[in-house]
Amino acid sequence: MKINETHIRKSKHSQTLLINQLSLERAQKGETVFKFGFGQSPFPVPCEIQQALADATHRKEYMSVQGHKPLREAIAKFHNALENKNMSAEQIIVGAGSKILLYCLLAAFERAEVVLPAPSWVSYAPQARLSGHTVSWIETNFADHWKLKPEQLDRFCSSRASPDIPLVLIFNYPSNPTGQTYSTLELQALATIMRNHNVVVIADEIYSLLSYEKSYSTLDEFYPQASIVTSGLSKWCGAGGWRLGFAHIPKGLGQQYFQAVLGVASETYSCAPAPIQIAATHAYENQKSAQVFLQKQTKLLHEISHFCAKRLQQAGVKVHQAQGGFYLFLDFERFMNKLNAKGINQGEHLTHALMRDKGVALLPGNAFGMPDKSLTARLAFVDFDGKTILDVPSPQMALSRVRQGITEISDWLKAL
Ligand code: PMP
Ligand code: GLU
């Protein structure tokens, strides 16, 4: 019996996972592909953490829904020490990746309006819709470094049609897809507006430890009462496929909300896998090794992002240098006339053409909430072997694919 489409939810395959699958299929067929589409850490999980996982395979029990207590304690201690935070283990929920926790945080609201700066990460809007919430976008622009301005947020909050419905802002920095982050002054100014309008903020800090600058601020410093922080092992520890994330929910949001999030977690994923939680405890307890690993990664990511952004700027692409993470957000506006002449009028046409002509995989801006006609795309500069690059004194050789992929984009633009 075929299910009638009127009864089926409009849920599509997530664009990030789809581009990963397409790129791998292309590579398997022996076709050239520069894998700049999917944002996966290229660095290996450190050996001692892999060993901790191997030693924990006998842990077959279900753990508590909230998460293994020693892990929650280690996470709080780690982020308090490294990022000057004020987290407590009691307020942390551990999940099978921060992505499912983002969903639980949203689904725990009976009603909410979710507001997102455009561009924002691909899964926020679909998750909000799956939870039955309305989604509003605040468009940012290249000149503002794709950052949300306090006056934009203020204007949006002041003109809401139903101000009684809780407003949830998902605020991600360093940003996927733009690589940009917020200064102390910018966060302070935004916090004032958030406080004035009682905004509940989900501060997605999955890339915070990959900030290129040694010292940086986080929003919960200025807006502790309603900043929920999410993060996890995926990015800083190179362990995306291990699926381990956490959410820290401030006490001020109340026990009822905390219990509702736990309730959704208990009805969906039950608990994060036990051996992974044990290995993650090891990762978070070893601050010293983590700091050495982070230093190496951020130095390399900074250099690579700098190289890519500079070469693309020279080719005429509008792009800002990244400040953390592994993404650049490219704006091809200057090529609009030439692209239009070739029938390329949308971001998706552009990424299809680059894949077809040069085997370069990018994700179009509209995957991140940009208008279809926006000639923007995200580049994840991670097509390199992170294991080799960590060990060699000069990483140039290990970066040949990144260099070649960037050259292909430049050549394609030149030939337009
Ligand atoms: N937020 C952002 C901005 C991301 O890029 C990702 C992708 N890994 C996630 C959340 C989800 O991360 P994970 O579920 O692996 O913790
Ligand atoms: N964060 C990765 C990206 O944006 C993908 C991981 C995922 O979608 O779960 O490419």
Side-chain angles (χ1 to χ4, degrees), residues 153-394:
L153 182 62
D154 193 30
R155 220 176 304 129
F156 176 85
C157 293
S158 306
S159 60
R160 289 177 69 208
S162 313
D164 297 338
I165 298 175
L167 181 66
V168 180
L169 165 70
I170 310 186
F171 187 62
N172 166 232
Y173 58 95
S175 156
N176 173 5
T178 71
Q180 303 299 298
T181 196
Y182 288 80
S183 70
T184 305
L185 284 178
E186 287 167 337
L187 290 174
Q188 280 171 330
L190 282 164
T192 304
I193 309 297
M194 291 163 180
R195 205 175 303 116
N196 290 347
H197 294 282
N198 292 322
V199 184
V200 176
V201 182
I202 299 177
D204 179 346
E205 297 183 2
I206 191 90
Y207 297 98
S208 66
L209 294 162
L210 296 181
S211 295
Y212 305 157
E213 291 298 326
K214 275 201 188 69
S215 83
Y216 54 88
S217 295
T218 58
L219 182 71
D220 48 332
E221 210 179 301
F222 310 110
Y223 190 48
Q225 58 273 52
S227 297
I228 301 170
V229 174
T230 59
S231 184
L233 273 194
S234 298
K235 308 300 169 180
W236 77 265
C237 201
W242 284 25
R243 312 306 302 129
L244 193 288
F246 73 87
H248 182 269
I249 304 176
K251 261 208 172 89
L253 293 178
Q255 257 306 304
Q256 213 173 331
Y257 177 67
F258 190 87
Q259 290 303 328
V261 180
L262 267 185
V264 181
S266 74
E267 301 293 13
T268 49
Y269 66 84
S270 302
C271 69
I276 301 285
Q277 293 203 54
I278 301 292
T281 309
H282 189 87
Y284 282 107
E285 275 174 350
N286 284 286
Q287 272 174 38
K288 284 264 144 51
S289 351
Q291 275 169 307
V292 174
F293 185 40
L294 284 171
Q295 231 165 21
K296 286 189 188 168
Q297 289 184 77
T298 47
K299 184 170 177 290
L300 284 164
L301 289 172
H302 195 177
E303 280 171 19
I304 299 165
S305 67
H306 187 262
F307 164 81
C308 296
K310 206 161 145 231
R311 288 289 296 273
L312 289 163
Q313 283 164 355
Q314 284 163 355
V317 179
K318 283 167 67 178
V319 54
H320 293 295
Q321 288 288 347
Q323 296 169 297
F326 27 72
Y327 306 102
L328 292 172
F329 199 61
L330 318 183
D331 189 338
F332 295 84
E333 191 202 22
R334 292 193 191 119
F335 298 89
M336 190 193 295
N337 291 341
K338 287 181 177 173
L339 290 169
N340 289 355
K342 293 200 177 296
I344 298 172
N345 309 307
Q346 300 189 358
E348 266 184 66
H349 300 163
L350 176 78
T351 53
H352 281 154
L354 267 167
M355 180 67 119
R356 181 196 61 213
D357 299 345
K358 296 289 185 181
V360 173
L362 301 177
L363 273 187
N366 69 351
F368 304 91
M370 296 295 286
D372 289 343
K373 65 175 191 328
S374 148
L375 293 170
T376 50
R378 183 192 78 175
L379 184 147
F381 46 88
V382 290
D383 194 356
F384 60 90
D385 175 0
K387 184 167 162 36
T388 308
I389 208 172
L390 282 175
D391 299 335
V392 294
S394 157

Side-chain angles (χ1 to χ4, degrees), residues 14-17 19 37-40 99 121-123 176 206-207 235 243 326-327 363 368 378 380:
S14 183
Q15 296 244 31
T16 48
L17 300 161
I19 192 77
F38 187 57
Q40 169 160 249
K99 188 172 182 174
W121 185 48
V122 290
S123 291
N176 173 5
I206 191 90
Y207 297 98
K235 308 300 169 180
R243 312 306 302 129
F326 27 72
Y327 306 102
L363 273 187
F368 304 91
R378 183 192 78 175

Side-chain angles (χ1 to χ4, degrees), residues 82-114:
L82 266 63
E83 297 185 310
N84 206 18
K85 285 192 179 286
N86 200 12
M87 288 187 177
S88 87
E90 290 72 47
Q91 296 307 119
I92 288 176
I93 301 177
V94 171
S98 64
K99 188 172 182 174
I100 187 68
L101 284 165
L102 289 167
Y103 175 73
C104 295
L105 291 166
L106 294 173
F109 283 92
E110 189 69 42
R111 289 179 78 193
E113 178 176 2
V114 175

